[in-house]
Structures are given as structure tokens and as C-alpha cells.
Amino acid sequence: MDKVQTQVAAVVIMACNRADYFERTIKSVLKYQNAVASKYPLFVSQDGSDPQVRKKALSYDQLTYMQHLDSKPVQTERPGELIAYYKIASHYKWALDELFYKHKFSRVIILEDDMEIAPDFFDYFEAAAALMEKDKTIMAVSSWNDNGLKQFVHDPEILYRSDFFPGLGWMLTKSTWNELSPKWPKAYWDDWLRLQENHKGRQFIRPEVCRTYNFGEHGSSLGQFFREYLEPIKLNDVQVDWKSKDLSYLMEDEYIRHFAAILKNAKPIYGADAVLKASNVQGDVRVQYKDQPDFERIAPQFGVFQEWKDGVPRTAYKGVVVFRYPPPRRVFLVGPKSFELLGIKGV
Ligand code: UD1
Ligand code: MN
């Protein structure tokens, strides 16, 4: 087999001006990429010309360095906006165009310069790449679970479909990029991918236990979010043998049945004080929410994300948000249309 056939994806670390962060990221990536280097050609894309980042990146001969310099000044559109989110979006567009169109890769995994990866990160993406080839309703594969805090996760082998783009260590194919590149937004690219008009009802694969850890306390956004939702994330620390795993349960038709079956088995809990009631019941439980405000009241009782984007709660599949509370027991927060969407009758 020639070299191109054995490649799974290019890996790019998006960097800018944090040399210490970049070093922590590259060390973590090289620790595992080294063994699979021919499958995963490694790139660093630097936005701007911070000399320390540039020097550090150029000091590694295991990677290809790319540099993005804005041709014209980047401008925000509304008062009070941070320019960083415009710079980030324009850097992403440039870097992905380079990798897909100039270097002609068929898949790219995107990391940022404030991430560490899990020991089975590359095996996970290789298995997921095969899944994506078979199921075109999977728009991208992510290594991230937004509700992947230590107190909400249990099983490192379980993957989910989600209608909500998780980002933070993710892989896309050239055909998806062909679609997104011409209309790529000026800012907030990740929230833009969460709009129905862009994902068009396709889903994302996410793990229960994260395969990336985000240590970026000092970045474009504020520290409070970091301490609440990023710092307590569990990074997977076991080597799952993804090559031997049967992932066919994640294919669209099968997944609806699979997910419906586990949801149907959960015991319903009614009324207020969901957390208290849930803790008095054995086994999996489900809590029905009426609408977005109702969800926003229930989710904080458990401590999971209450935020929605374009009608979808973070991590949701067909309106259902699932997490472990306390592990290994599963809690399902179930939307008003979820049973219908999942073909569940008689509940
Ligand atoms: C958040 C997201 C991030 C997303 C970004 C865009 C989290 C934890 N992070 O970024 O995944 O890409 O919003 O909406 O949700 N960078 C540049 N140019 C700049 C500044 C930063 O290319 O001028 C790069 C950084 O090197 C990094 C990435 O953009 O790779 C994100 O920057 P960061 O400062 O970490 O911002 P977050 O608020 O975490
Ligand atoms: Mn960050």
C-alpha cells in the first residue's frame, strides 16, 4: 500500500501567541502521535507572528509549520465584540483551506493550543473515520463531551450521537469542508455550526469520556466558564481497543432503536425536585421537560449545561440529554417530542 492510502487524517494544532500552552499541547500530542506518525501527518498553524510560538514550533522536526497573516485588518461588526473571535474564524478558514485544498487531505483533525489528548485518541479517530465513511448523516466526530465532568461519566467505551456540535478536538472530511468553506462565518464559527441551516439535521459523534482535555484558562473567553465546565472534565486514561469494537450501533437507523430501548427502560420521575426523587430510585431514570425554560430549571439541579443553541440543548440527541448521576446510573432529560422522534409508543 502506498503512503496516501494508509493516512487517516492530517492533525492540525491551531496556535497563536501562547508559547507555554503550545508546548504543553505539542508534548501531549507527540507522546501518542509518534507511534502512528505516517497515519496522522502533524501540522501547526500559527495565527500571527508571535516569535516565541514560531521558534518553538520550528524546533520540532516532526511537524509542518504553517503561518496565517491577515491580508487586511480584521474588523468586528457590533460594539463590544472581541476581535479574537473574528481572528479565530478567519484563521480556521485559512488553515482548513490549506490542508484540504493545497495539501489535499481527505480528513482533518483540529486541535487547539490549549488541549491535551487521551492515550487512545488516534485509535478512536481511526475507528470513527470508518464509521463516517459509512454514514453520511454524521457531519463530524468529536473527542469532546460538554457534560464530561468527572461526576457525570462512567464508561470509556460508550459513544453517542448528538444533534449539538461539541467541537474541541474534532474531525471533518473534505466533502463537509467543500460545503462549509464558501459560507464560513466571520466570527463564532463553532456556534455557527450549531445552527440548523448549517448542520441540516446531521449529527455528531461524541464519547462519554472526553479524549481531549482543555486547560486553556487564559484565552479569548473568561475564566469563570473554565472553572465550572472545563477544569473538572475527566480525560480518558485507559487504552480502549477501538479496532476490535463494533460501532455499528451508531449508524443512524440502528442508533434510534438502540437509544430508544435504553431510554424506554429508564424509570420515569415526575414533578419538581428531580434530583431528590432520582436519588431514591434504583437504576436509570428519565425526567420529562416541557420546554426550554423547564429544561433550564431542571438541568442546573443536576449541574449539567442548561444552555441551548438553535433549539438544541448541549449534548442532546432528539431532545434527550443523557449523563450519569451518580455514575453508573443514567439520567435522561427528555424533551416534549423526544418519544415521537425516537418512535417510542405507549409510554
Ligand atoms: C472558544 C472555543 C474554541 C473556538 C473559539 C471560536 C472553548 C473552550 N473554546 O475559544 O474551541 O475555536 O471559541 O469561537 O469553547 N487563536 C487564533 N487567533 C487569535 C486568537 C486565538 O487563531 O487571534 C486560536 C488559539 O490559538 C486557539 C483557538 O484560536 O487555538 C481558540 O482560542 P482561545 O483563546 O483558546 O479561545 P476560547 O475562548 O477558548
Ligand atoms: Mn481555549
Side-chain angles (χ1 to χ4, degrees), residues 276-317:
L276 194 68
K277 285 187 183 137
S279 48
N280 295 324
V281 176
Q282 292 284 310
D284 293 350
V285 296
R286 52 180 150 92
V287 182
Q288 189 97 36
Y289 64 88
K290 288 198 294 283
D291 48 22
Q292 185 173 347
D294 200 30
F295 181 88
E296 288 165 353
R297 187 183 58 77
I298 297 166
Q301 294 184 28
F302 292 94
V304 295
F305 265 105
Q306 65 180 78
E307 182 199 15
W308 289 40
K309 289 269 151 64
D310 209 11
V312 182
R314 260 189 206 260
T315 75
Y317 175 65

mmCIF file of all heavy atoms in Angstrom, residues 276-317:
data_model
loop_
_atom_site.group_PDB
_atom_site.id
_atom_site.type_symbol
_atom_site.label_atom_id
_atom_site.label_comp_id
_atom_site.label_asym_id
_atom_site.label_seq_id
_atom_site.Cartn_x
_atom_site.Cartn_y
_atom_site.Cartn_z
ATOM 1 N N LEU A 276 -33.680 14.970 43.930
ATOM 2 C CA LEU A 276 -34.033 14.263 45.157
ATOM 3 C C LEU A 276 -34.772 12.967 44.830
ATOM 4 O O LEU A 276 -34.456 11.897 45.333
ATOM 5 C CB LEU A 276 -34.911 15.176 46.013
ATOM 6 C CG LEU A 276 -35.089 14.733 47.452
ATOM 7 C CD1 LEU A 276 -33.764 14.864 48.204
ATOM 8 C CD2 LEU A 276 -36.152 15.589 48.125
ATOM 9 N N LYS A 277 -35.747 13.081 43.927
ATOM 10 C CA LYS A 277 -36.530 11.906 43.566
ATOM 11 C C LYS A 277 -35.658 10.870 42.870
ATOM 12 O O LYS A 277 -35.771 9.676 43.137
ATOM 13 C CB LYS A 277 -37.693 12.309 42.666
ATOM 14 C CG LYS A 277 -38.787 12.985 43.480
ATOM 15 C CD LYS A 277 -40.018 13.245 42.641
ATOM 16 C CE LYS A 277 -41.069 13.974 43.431
ATOM 17 N NZ LYS A 277 -41.700 15.053 42.662
ATOM 18 N N ALA A 278 -34.793 11.356 41.975
ATOM 19 C CA ALA A 278 -33.925 10.430 41.237
ATOM 20 C C ALA A 278 -33.062 9.629 42.200
ATOM 21 O O ALA A 278 -32.829 8.435 41.993
ATOM 22 C CB ALA A 278 -33.036 11.206 40.261
ATOM 23 N N SER A 279 -32.626 10.248 43.265
ATOM 24 C CA SER A 279 -31.707 9.537 44.162
ATOM 25 C C SER A 279 -32.408 8.465 44.991
ATOM 26 O O SER A 279 -31.756 7.629 45.601
ATOM 27 C CB SER A 279 -30.957 10.531 45.052
ATOM 28 O OG SER A 279 -31.863 11.440 45.615
ATOM 29 N N ASN A 280 -33.745 8.469 44.972
ATOM 30 C CA ASN A 280 -34.468 7.432 45.719
ATOM 31 C C ASN A 280 -34.900 6.262 44.844
ATOM 32 O O ASN A 280 -35.601 5.372 45.304
ATOM 33 C CB ASN A 280 -35.712 8.020 46.385
ATOM 34 C CG ASN A 280 -35.334 9.037 47.439
ATOM 35 O OD1 ASN A 280 -34.330 8.873 48.121
ATOM 36 N ND2 ASN A 280 -36.114 10.101 47.548
ATOM 37 N N VAL A 281 -34.518 6.286 43.574
ATOM 38 C CA VAL A 281 -34.943 5.239 42.640
ATOM 39 C C VAL A 281 -33.721 4.422 42.224
ATOM 40 O O VAL A 281 -32.642 4.971 42.040
ATOM 41 C CB VAL A 281 -35.598 5.892 41.389
ATOM 42 C CG1 VAL A 281 -35.964 4.841 40.357
ATOM 43 C CG2 VAL A 281 -36.822 6.702 41.789
ATOM 44 N N GLN A 282 -33.907 3.114 42.074
ATOM 45 C CA GLN A 282 -32.815 2.248 41.603
ATOM 46 C C GLN A 282 -32.752 2.258 40.074
ATOM 47 O O GLN A 282 -33.778 2.268 39.436
ATOM 48 C CB GLN A 282 -33.077 0.801 42.046
ATOM 49 C CG GLN A 282 -32.981 0.574 43.547
ATOM 50 C CD GLN A 282 -31.539 0.539 44.020
ATOM 51 O OE1 GLN A 282 -30.724 -0.166 43.458
ATOM 52 N NE2 GLN A 282 -31.229 1.343 45.034
ATOM 53 N N GLY A 283 -31.583 2.215 39.510
ATOM 54 C CA GLY A 283 -31.408 2.092 38.062
ATOM 55 C C GLY A 283 -31.616 3.415 37.328
ATOM 56 O O GLY A 283 -31.789 4.469 37.935
ATOM 57 N N ASP A 284 -31.614 3.326 35.985
ATOM 58 C CA ASP A 284 -31.712 4.529 35.148
ATOM 59 C C ASP A 284 -33.042 5.245 35.356
ATOM 60 O O ASP A 284 -34.065 4.604 35.590
ATOM 61 C CB ASP A 284 -31.596 4.156 33.664
ATOM 62 C CG ASP A 284 -30.205 3.635 33.316
ATOM 63 O OD1 ASP A 284 -29.300 3.733 34.162
ATOM 64 O OD2 ASP A 284 -30.039 3.145 32.185
ATOM 65 N N VAL A 285 -33.019 6.567 35.242
ATOM 66 C CA VAL A 285 -34.256 7.343 35.386
ATOM 67 C C VAL A 285 -34.407 8.328 34.226
ATOM 68 O O VAL A 285 -33.428 8.704 33.582
ATOM 69 C CB VAL A 285 -34.291 8.145 36.719
ATOM 70 C CG1 VAL A 285 -34.286 7.217 37.917
ATOM 71 C CG2 VAL A 285 -33.136 9.126 36.803
ATOM 72 N N ARG A 286 -35.657 8.701 33.975
ATOM 73 C CA ARG A 286 -35.889 9.751 32.977
ATOM 74 C C ARG A 286 -36.806 10.825 33.543
ATOM 75 O O ARG A 286 -37.754 10.526 34.272
ATOM 76 C CB ARG A 286 -36.445 9.182 31.673
ATOM 77 C CG ARG A 286 -37.652 8.298 31.776
ATOM 78 C CD ARG A 286 -38.042 7.842 30.363
ATOM 79 N NE ARG A 286 -38.666 6.551 30.328
ATOM 80 C CZ ARG A 286 -39.985 6.342 30.397
ATOM 81 N NH1 ARG A 286 -40.801 7.361 30.509
ATOM 82 N NH2 ARG A 286 -40.472 5.120 30.349
ATOM 83 N N VAL A 287 -36.467 12.057 33.187
ATOM 84 C CA VAL A 287 -37.226 13.207 33.655
ATOM 85 C C VAL A 287 -37.695 13.955 32.420
ATOM 86 O O VAL A 287 -36.880 14.330 31.563
ATOM 87 C CB VAL A 287 -36.326 14.152 34.502
ATOM 88 C CG1 VAL A 287 -37.131 15.326 35.029
ATOM 89 C CG2 VAL A 287 -35.656 13.398 35.642
ATOM 90 N N GLN A 288 -38.990 14.141 32.308
ATOM 91 C CA GLN A 288 -39.542 14.831 31.142
ATOM 92 C C GLN A 288 -39.504 16.346 31.371
ATOM 93 O O GLN A 288 -39.846 16.800 32.459
ATOM 94 C CB GLN A 288 -40.993 14.385 30.974
ATOM 95 C CG GLN A 288 -41.658 14.835 29.703
ATOM 96 C CD GLN A 288 -41.618 13.747 28.640
ATOM 97 O OE1 GLN A 288 -41.736 12.563 28.942
ATOM 98 N NE2 GLN A 288 -41.439 14.156 27.385
ATOM 99 N N TYR A 289 -39.044 17.101 30.361
ATOM 100 C CA TYR A 289 -39.166 18.559 30.462
ATOM 101 C C TYR A 289 -40.146 19.048 29.399
ATOM 102 O O TYR A 289 -40.270 18.456 28.338
ATOM 103 C CB TYR A 289 -37.803 19.261 30.368
ATOM 104 C CG TYR A 289 -37.069 19.100 29.055
ATOM 105 C CD1 TYR A 289 -37.278 19.989 27.996
ATOM 106 C CD2 TYR A 289 -36.147 18.069 28.867
ATOM 107 C CE1 TYR A 289 -36.599 19.856 26.793
ATOM 108 C CE2 TYR A 289 -35.466 17.920 27.672
ATOM 109 C CZ TYR A 289 -35.700 18.820 26.643
ATOM 110 O OH TYR A 289 -35.032 18.673 25.449
ATOM 111 N N LYS A 290 -40.831 20.158 29.725
ATOM 112 C CA LYS A 290 -41.913 20.643 28.856
ATOM 113 C C LYS A 290 -41.413 21.493 27.698
ATOM 114 O O LYS A 290 -41.907 21.446 26.587
ATOM 115 C CB LYS A 290 -42.895 21.504 29.670
ATOM 116 C CG LYS A 290 -43.764 20.713 30.637
ATOM 117 C CD LYS A 290 -44.983 21.540 31.081
ATOM 118 C CE LYS A 290 -44.610 22.757 31.919
ATOM 119 N NZ LYS A 290 -44.250 22.420 33.326
ATOM 120 N N ASP A 291 -40.421 22.342 28.018
ATOM 121 C CA ASP A 291 -39.930 23.297 27.036
ATOM 122 C C ASP A 291 -38.565 23.814 27.502
ATOM 123 O O ASP A 291 -38.055 23.362 28.528
ATOM 124 C CB ASP A 291 -40.929 24.460 26.865
ATOM 125 C CG ASP A 291 -41.367 25.024 28.216
ATOM 126 O OD1 ASP A 291 -40.645 24.844 29.217
ATOM 127 O OD2 ASP A 291 -42.451 25.640 28.278
ATOM 128 N N GLN A 292 -38.030 24.788 26.783
ATOM 129 C CA GLN A 292 -36.691 25.278 27.131
ATOM 130 C C GLN A 292 -36.606 25.839 28.555
ATOM 131 O O GLN A 292 -35.683 25.483 29.292
ATOM 132 C CB GLN A 292 -36.208 26.294 26.090
ATOM 133 C CG GLN A 292 -34.783 26.744 26.347
ATOM 134 C CD GLN A 292 -34.198 27.615 25.249
ATOM 135 O OE1 GLN A 292 -34.750 27.721 24.156
ATOM 136 N NE2 GLN A 292 -33.076 28.250 25.537
ATOM 137 N N PRO A 293 -37.553 26.701 28.977
ATOM 138 C CA PRO A 293 -37.463 27.211 30.360
ATOM 139 C C PRO A 293 -37.516 26.091 31.404
ATOM 140 O O PRO A 293 -36.825 26.160 32.423
ATOM 141 C CB PRO A 293 -38.688 28.130 30.488
ATOM 142 C CG PRO A 293 -39.029 28.516 29.089
ATOM 143 C CD PRO A 293 -38.631 27.364 28.217
ATOM 144 N N ASP A 294 -38.321 25.073 31.128
ATOM 145 C CA ASP A 294 -38.412 23.950 32.050
ATOM 146 C C ASP A 294 -37.073 23.209 32.117
ATOM 147 O O ASP A 294 -36.592 22.837 33.184
ATOM 148 C CB ASP A 294 -39.540 23.015 31.587
ATOM 149 C CG ASP A 294 -40.045 22.113 32.701
ATOM 150 O OD1 ASP A 294 -39.985 22.535 33.882
ATOM 151 O OD2 ASP A 294 -40.486 20.981 32.404
ATOM 152 N N PHE A 295 -36.467 23.011 30.950
ATOM 153 C CA PHE A 295 -35.141 22.372 30.914
ATOM 154 C C PHE A 295 -34.130 23.207 31.697
ATOM 155 O O PHE A 295 -33.323 22.675 32.465
ATOM 156 C CB PHE A 295 -34.672 22.204 29.464
ATOM 157 C CG PHE A 295 -33.329 21.535 29.346
ATOM 158 C CD1 PHE A 295 -33.222 20.146 29.284
ATOM 159 C CD2 PHE A 295 -32.153 22.287 29.328
ATOM 160 C CE1 PHE A 295 -31.976 19.526 29.198
ATOM 161 C CE2 PHE A 295 -30.907 21.673 29.247
ATOM 162 C CZ PHE A 295 -30.820 20.288 29.177
ATOM 163 N N GLU A 296 -34.220 24.521 31.510
ATOM 164 C CA GLU A 296 -33.270 25.427 32.176
ATOM 165 C C GLU A 296 -33.443 25.433 33.700
ATOM 166 O O GLU A 296 -32.549 25.838 34.433
ATOM 167 C CB GLU A 296 -33.412 26.852 31.617
ATOM 168 C CG GLU A 296 -32.848 26.954 30.212
ATOM 169 C CD GLU A 296 -33.267 28.220 29.467
ATOM 170 O OE1 GLU A 296 -34.109 28.980 29.998
ATOM 171 O OE2 GLU A 296 -32.754 28.426 28.355
ATOM 172 N N ARG A 297 -34.603 24.976 34.147
ATOM 173 C CA ARG A 297 -34.841 24.859 35.581
ATOM 174 C C ARG A 297 -34.308 23.510 36.105
ATOM 175 O O ARG A 297 -33.729 23.425 37.183
ATOM 176 C CB ARG A 297 -36.360 24.966 35.827
ATOM 177 C CG ARG A 297 -36.810 25.025 37.273
ATOM 178 C CD ARG A 297 -38.344 25.054 37.367
ATOM 179 N NE ARG A 297 -38.968 23.894 36.732
ATOM 180 C CZ ARG A 297 -39.007 22.673 37.283
ATOM 181 N NH1 ARG A 297 -38.488 22.461 38.462
ATOM 182 N NH2 ARG A 297 -39.589 21.670 36.634
ATOM 183 N N ILE A 298 -34.485 22.460 35.291
ATOM 184 C CA ILE A 298 -34.115 21.117 35.746
ATOM 185 C C ILE A 298 -32.597 20.868 35.648
ATOM 186 O O ILE A 298 -31.986 20.323 36.579
ATOM 187 C CB ILE A 298 -34.880 20.037 34.942
ATOM 188 C CG1 ILE A 298 -36.396 20.176 35.186
ATOM 189 C CG2 ILE A 298 -34.418 18.639 35.305
ATOM 190 C CD1 ILE A 298 -37.256 19.394 34.209
ATOM 191 N N ALA A 299 -31.993 21.264 34.505
ATOM 192 C CA ALA A 299 -30.573 20.941 34.274
ATOM 193 C C ALA A 299 -29.653 21.420 35.408
ATOM 194 O O ALA A 299 -28.793 20.656 35.859
ATOM 195 C CB ALA A 299 -30.124 21.494 32.921
ATOM 196 N N PRO A 300 -29.837 22.643 35.915
ATOM 197 C CA PRO A 300 -28.939 23.082 36.990
ATOM 198 C C PRO A 300 -29.100 22.309 38.297
ATOM 199 O O PRO A 300 -28.174 22.268 39.098
ATOM 200 C CB PRO A 300 -29.326 24.559 37.212
ATOM 201 C CG PRO A 300 -30.117 24.951 36.031
ATOM 202 C CD PRO A 300 -30.754 23.717 35.506
ATOM 203 N N GLN A 301 -30.253 21.663 38.478
ATOM 204 C CA GLN A 301 -30.410 20.848 39.692
ATOM 205 C C GLN A 301 -29.380 19.716 39.717
ATOM 206 O O GLN A 301 -28.937 19.284 40.765
ATOM 207 C CB GLN A 301 -31.816 20.236 39.755
ATOM 208 C CG GLN A 301 -32.928 21.246 39.930
ATOM 209 C CD GLN A 301 -34.286 20.542 40.072
ATOM 210 O OE1 GLN A 301 -34.372 19.415 40.539
ATOM 211 N NE2 GLN A 301 -35.336 21.222 39.665
ATOM 212 N N PHE A 302 -29.035 19.236 38.510
ATOM 213 C CA PHE A 302 -28.021 18.184 38.419
ATOM 214 C C PHE A 302 -26.625 18.771 38.204
ATOM 215 O O PHE A 302 -25.632 18.107 38.481
ATOM 216 C CB PHE A 302 -28.353 17.245 37.253
ATOM 217 C CG PHE A 302 -29.589 16.421 37.477
ATOM 218 C CD1 PHE A 302 -30.825 16.852 36.998
ATOM 219 C CD2 PHE A 302 -29.516 15.223 38.177
ATOM 220 C CE1 PHE A 302 -31.963 16.086 37.204
ATOM 221 C CE2 PHE A 302 -30.657 14.457 38.376
ATOM 222 C CZ PHE A 302 -31.885 14.881 37.897
ATOM 223 N N GLY A 303 -26.577 19.985 37.638
ATOM 224 C CA GLY A 303 -25.285 20.611 37.362
ATOM 225 C C GLY A 303 -24.806 20.430 35.931
ATOM 226 O O GLY A 303 -23.653 20.720 35.621
ATOM 227 N N VAL A 304 -25.704 19.948 35.031
ATOM 228 C CA VAL A 304 -25.302 19.848 33.626
ATOM 229 C C VAL A 304 -25.641 21.163 32.909
ATOM 230 O O VAL A 304 -26.386 22.002 33.434
ATOM 231 C CB VAL A 304 -25.978 18.656 32.903
ATOM 232 C CG1 VAL A 304 -25.511 17.329 33.503
ATOM 233 C CG2 VAL A 304 -27.501 18.769 32.939
ATOM 234 N N PHE A 305 -25.078 21.320 31.710
ATOM 235 C CA PHE A 305 -25.312 22.537 30.927
ATOM 236 C C PHE A 305 -26.796 22.827 30.732
ATOM 237 O O PHE A 305 -27.560 21.933 30.375
ATOM 238 C CB PHE A 305 -24.711 22.391 29.524
ATOM 239 C CG PHE A 305 -23.330 22.954 29.392
ATOM 240 C CD1 PHE A 305 -22.228 22.110 29.327
ATOM 241 C CD2 PHE A 305 -23.136 24.329 29.305
ATOM 242 C CE1 PHE A 305 -20.955 22.639 29.189
ATOM 243 C CE2 PHE A 305 -21.867 24.854 29.159
ATOM 244 C CZ PHE A 305 -20.771 24.000 29.105
ATOM 245 N N GLN A 306 -27.201 24.051 30.933
ATOM 246 C CA GLN A 306 -28.592 24.400 30.669
ATOM 247 C C GLN A 306 -28.758 25.127 29.335
ATOM 248 O O GLN A 306 -29.866 25.340 28.870
ATOM 249 C CB GLN A 306 -29.138 25.278 31.798
ATOM 250 C CG GLN A 306 -28.477 26.636 31.904
ATOM 251 C CD GLN A 306 -29.079 27.439 33.042
ATOM 252 O OE1 GLN A 306 -28.756 27.218 34.199
ATOM 253 N NE2 GLN A 306 -29.980 28.359 32.704
ATOM 254 N N GLU A 307 -27.622 25.436 28.701
ATOM 255 C CA GLU A 307 -27.628 26.264 27.501
ATOM 256 C C GLU A 307 -28.187 25.548 26.264
ATOM 257 O O GLU A 307 -27.925 24.377 26.048
ATOM 258 C CB GLU A 307 -26.168 26.657 27.254
ATOM 259 C CG GLU A 307 -25.936 27.548 26.095
ATOM 260 C CD GLU A 307 -24.475 27.495 25.652
ATOM 261 O OE1 GLU A 307 -23.725 26.579 26.051
ATOM 262 O OE2 GLU A 307 -24.105 28.386 24.879
ATOM 263 N N TRP A 308 -28.929 26.266 25.458
ATOM 264 C CA TRP A 308 -29.438 25.765 24.172
ATOM 265 C C TRP A 308 -28.869 26.621 23.049
ATOM 266 O O TRP A 308 -28.590 27.799 23.230
ATOM 267 C CB TRP A 308 -30.967 25.872 24.087
ATOM 268 C CG TRP A 308 -31.721 24.923 24.952
ATOM 269 C CD1 TRP A 308 -31.415 24.560 26.228
ATOM 270 C CD2 TRP A 308 -32.939 24.254 24.604
ATOM 271 N NE1 TRP A 308 -32.379 23.702 26.696
ATOM 272 C CE2 TRP A 308 -33.320 23.496 25.733
ATOM 273 C CE3 TRP A 308 -33.748 24.227 23.456
ATOM 274 C CZ2 TRP A 308 -34.479 22.706 25.743
ATOM 275 C CZ3 TRP A 308 -34.895 23.445 23.475
ATOM 276 C CH2 TRP A 308 -35.250 22.683 24.601
ATOM 277 N N LYS A 309 -28.752 26.008 21.856
ATOM 278 C CA LYS A 309 -28.416 26.747 20.646
ATOM 279 C C LYS A 309 -29.359 26.301 19.540
ATOM 280 O O LYS A 309 -29.417 25.102 19.236
ATOM 281 C CB LYS A 309 -26.959 26.476 20.228
ATOM 282 C CG LYS A 309 -25.912 27.114 21.140
ATOM 283 C CD LYS A 309 -25.515 28.507 20.684
ATOM 284 C CE LYS A 309 -25.074 29.441 21.785
ATOM 285 N NZ LYS A 309 -23.889 29.106 22.508
ATOM 286 N N ASP A 310 -30.081 27.240 18.985
ATOM 287 C CA ASP A 310 -30.996 26.956 17.878
ATOM 288 C C ASP A 310 -31.913 25.754 18.169
ATOM 289 O O ASP A 310 -32.036 24.831 17.354
ATOM 290 C CB ASP A 310 -30.206 26.737 16.576
ATOM 291 C CG ASP A 310 -31.028 27.143 15.348
ATOM 292 O OD1 ASP A 310 -32.102 27.777 15.522
ATOM 293 O OD2 ASP A 310 -30.607 26.839 14.214
ATOM 294 N N GLY A 311 -32.514 25.782 19.348
ATOM 295 C CA GLY A 311 -33.494 24.749 19.690
ATOM 296 C C GLY A 311 -32.925 23.446 20.230
ATOM 297 O O GLY A 311 -33.672 22.502 20.476
ATOM 298 N N VAL A 312 -31.605 23.370 20.407
ATOM 299 C CA VAL A 312 -30.983 22.113 20.850
ATOM 300 C C VAL A 312 -30.178 22.335 22.137
ATOM 301 O O VAL A 312 -29.281 23.164 22.164
ATOM 302 C CB VAL A 312 -30.043 21.545 19.756
ATOM 303 C CG1 VAL A 312 -29.440 20.216 20.197
ATOM 304 C CG2 VAL A 312 -30.789 21.387 18.434
ATOM 305 N N PRO A 313 -30.491 21.570 23.202
ATOM 306 C CA PRO A 313 -29.646 21.648 24.402
ATOM 307 C C PRO A 313 -28.283 20.998 24.146
ATOM 308 O O PRO A 313 -28.202 20.051 23.362
ATOM 309 C CB PRO A 313 -30.421 20.822 25.447
ATOM 310 C CG PRO A 313 -31.720 20.440 24.839
ATOM 311 C CD PRO A 313 -31.600 20.611 23.350
ATOM 312 N N ARG A 314 -27.261 21.517 24.783
ATOM 313 C CA ARG A 314 -25.925 20.930 24.637
ATOM 314 C C ARG A 314 -25.967 19.434 24.886
ATOM 315 O O ARG A 314 -26.585 18.995 25.864
ATOM 316 C CB ARG A 314 -24.948 21.547 25.644
ATOM 317 C CG ARG A 314 -24.093 22.606 25.006
ATOM 318 C CD ARG A 314 -22.993 23.074 25.914
ATOM 319 N NE ARG A 314 -22.616 24.430 25.549
ATOM 320 C CZ ARG A 314 -21.546 24.740 24.811
ATOM 321 N NH1 ARG A 314 -20.712 23.792 24.415
ATOM 322 N NH2 ARG A 314 -21.298 25.987 24.507
ATOM 323 N N THR A 315 -25.315 18.670 24.012
ATOM 324 C CA THR A 315 -25.156 17.193 24.017
ATOM 325 C C THR A 315 -26.425 16.424 23.614
ATOM 326 O O THR A 315 -26.397 15.200 23.506
ATOM 327 C CB THR A 315 -24.694 16.581 25.382
ATOM 328 O OG1 THR A 315 -25.789 16.577 26.314
ATOM 329 C CG2 THR A 315 -23.517 17.336 25.983
ATOM 330 N N ALA A 316 -27.547 17.124 23.351
ATOM 331 C CA ALA A 316 -28.815 16.420 23.145
ATOM 332 C C ALA A 316 -28.853 15.600 21.858
ATOM 333 O O ALA A 316 -28.238 15.944 20.851
ATOM 334 C CB ALA A 316 -29.969 17.407 23.133
ATOM 335 N N TYR A 317 -29.617 14.512 21.930
ATOM 336 C CA TYR A 317 -29.973 13.722 20.758
ATOM 337 C C TYR A 317 -31.486 13.600 20.759
ATOM 338 O O TYR A 317 -32.067 13.091 21.717
ATOM 339 C CB TYR A 317 -29.314 12.335 20.830
ATOM 340 C CG TYR A 317 -29.727 11.420 19.710
ATOM 341 C CD1 TYR A 317 -29.384 11.716 18.386
ATOM 342 C CD2 TYR A 317 -30.455 10.272 19.959
ATOM 343 C CE1 TYR A 317 -29.763 10.884 17.355
ATOM 344 C CE2 TYR A 317 -30.846 9.432 18.927
ATOM 345 C CZ TYR A 317 -30.494 9.744 17.626
ATOM 346 O OH TYR A 317 -30.881 8.918 16.596
#
